[in-house]
Amino acid sequence: MEDSQKIEVLVASEEHVGYVDEILDTITRAAKVRGTGIAKRSPDYVRQKMLERKAVIAIGPGGEFAGFSYIESWSNKEFVANSGLIVADKFRGIGLATRIKRRIFQLSREMFPNAKIFSLTTGAAVMKMNFELGYRPVTFDQLTTDPAFWRGCESCVNYDILQRNGGHKCLCVGLLYDPAEKYHEAEKKAPSTADDTAAAIAAALPSL
């Protein structure tokens, strides 16, 4: 198993564009294993995120690709999403996803200090990471209404569920970090396990 501390987690730039194809391939393979869809992005799109320094990449010993995530902004920069979080198979189970998540969250706060940061996920582990950063569960009508964002759901295997519910709910849980609010850090103790987090979020959500 690789030592997490031997892996660099840094803001991606022009020098990392050579990793684009491997990043997209890793994301696609992971989605197939999980049986979920992804918002498909072109190599040019991911490359541009690097050039704009709106992405975080993890590099292992010898320059080996280890993980990635990028920032998207919506509704005239009122909302920000941290998207495409992925860790290569070899580097899983050592806390790298948490390191990447924290760095992309920090970068989002630096670049868009007044934006609300949101997430849609079915994964308990992602919920736990978001919960610890101060996200809270919300209904979909509290997220961006930008149609460009919701078009990204069309490639998900669960898109028909979203359509049947008029875009108001699906299998994903909506999570939101609002910089104007004080939430989990001062008022809540984050659950200790991913399962505990999923249960806490489910209990906090309003009846849909």
Side-chain angles (χ1 to χ4, degrees), residues 60-85:
E64 189 173 4
F65 169 70
F68 184 74
S69 185
Y70 62 91
I71 297 171
E72 295 181 294
S73 60
W74 308 96
S75 302
N76 197 28
K77 301 180 181 179
E78 179 183 355
F79 289 89
V80 166
N82 299 155
S83 302
L85 176 61

Side-chain angles (χ1 to χ4, degrees), residues 19 22-23 40 55 75 93 135 137 171:
Y19 291 98
E22 186 174 3
I23 289 168
K40 295 182 179 179
S75 302
Y135 289 69
L171 298 185

Side-chain angles (χ1 to χ4, degrees), residues 3-33:
D3 182 349
S4 177
Q5 298 309 310
K6 295 180 181 178
I7 303 169
E8 288 189 282
V9 177
L10 60 159
V11 178
S13 63
E14 183 178 2
E15 66 180 287
H16 302 111
V17 296
Y19 291 98
V20 168
D21 289 340
E22 186 174 3
I23 289 168
L24 291 174
D25 181 62
T26 303
I27 292 173
T28 299
R29 285 188 285 106
K32 289 180 180 179
V33 170

Side-chain angles (χ1 to χ4, degrees), residues 48-156:
Q48 188 61 33
K49 290 296 178 184
M50 292 180 173
L51 297 178
E52 294 173 351
R53 299 184 71 81
K54 293 180 180 177
V56 166
I57 191 167
I59 305 295
E64 189 173 4
F65 169 70
F68 184 74
S69 185
Y70 62 91
I71 297 171
E72 295 181 294
S73 60
W74 308 96
S75 302
N76 197 28
K77 301 180 181 179
E78 179 183 355
F79 289 89
V80 166
N82 299 155
S83 302
L85 176 61
I86 189 67
V87 173
D89 290 346
K90 178 180 177 180
F91 299 97
R92 292 179 181 170
I94 58 174
L96 182 57
T98 298
R99 290 181 61 197
I100 295 171
K101 180 68 178 179
R102 289 188 176 277
R103 186 65 187 94
I104 197 70
F105 178 80
Q106 179 186 14
L107 183 62
S108 299
R109 296 286 290 120
E110 292 168 358
M111 299 187 76
F112 304 96
N114 299 315
K116 298 175 182 178
I117 307 174
F118 71 98
S119 172
L120 283 178
T121 184
T122 57
V126 175
M127 293 181 199
K128 181 176 187 294
M129 287 188 282
N130 286 341
F131 197 94
E132 291 172 344
L133 289 169
Y135 289 69
R136 61 182 175 85
V138 296
T139 53
F140 284 11
D141 62 0
Q142 292 176 263
L143 306 178
T144 178
T145 57
D146 193 324
F149 169 77
W150 294 102
R151 281 197 296 271
C153 292
E154 293 177 3
S155 58
C156 180

